[in-house]
Amino acid sequence: MNKQTKALVFQLLCFAVLFIGLRFLIAEFGGLSGYWIPITAAVIATLLCPIFKAVRTRDGEKLFVKWIFLPGIKEIK
């Protein structure tokens, strides 16, 4: 599996976990109903999800992550 595919899989998994958790929390404790529950969960999950990127460098392709809860950009090994 190349780094670009790993970045896509990590991005999808993080979004899915956040979306499902937020959807449950909003449905249980929020005052929303109908289509507003998944729409709100998707928007919040999109804002909170970390960003994974595969970048080609002189040393080869590397995987990086940027997240609002981590300062700066971190390399994933």
Side-chain angles (χ1 to χ4, degrees):
M1 183 183 294
N2 64 9
K3 301 281 184 174
Q4 203 167 19
T5 306
K6 275 188 178 180
L8 181 66
V9 169
F10 286 159
Q11 189 83 27
L12 179 66
L13 286 174
C14 287
F15 177 81
V17 167
L18 283 173
F19 175 77
I20 292 169
L22 287 168
R23 192 177 190 288
F24 172 74
L25 288 174
I26 292 170
E28 283 293 316
F29 302 112
L32 299 176
S33 63
Y35 288 114
W36 288 108
I37 296 171
I39 290 172
T40 305
V43 169
I44 295 172
T46 301
L47 294 173
L48 292 179
C49 192
I51 299 169
F52 294 92
K53 293 282 184 177
V55 178
R56 290 183 191 225
T57 63
R58 283 185 241 142
D59 301 331
E61 199 171 30
K62 293 186 177 183
L63 190 61
F64 294 96
V65 63
K66 182 178 180 185
W67 197 22
I68 59 173
F69 300 115
L70 290 176
I73 298 171
K74 304 288 182 185
E75 180 182 352
I76 299 175
K77 297 186 180 196

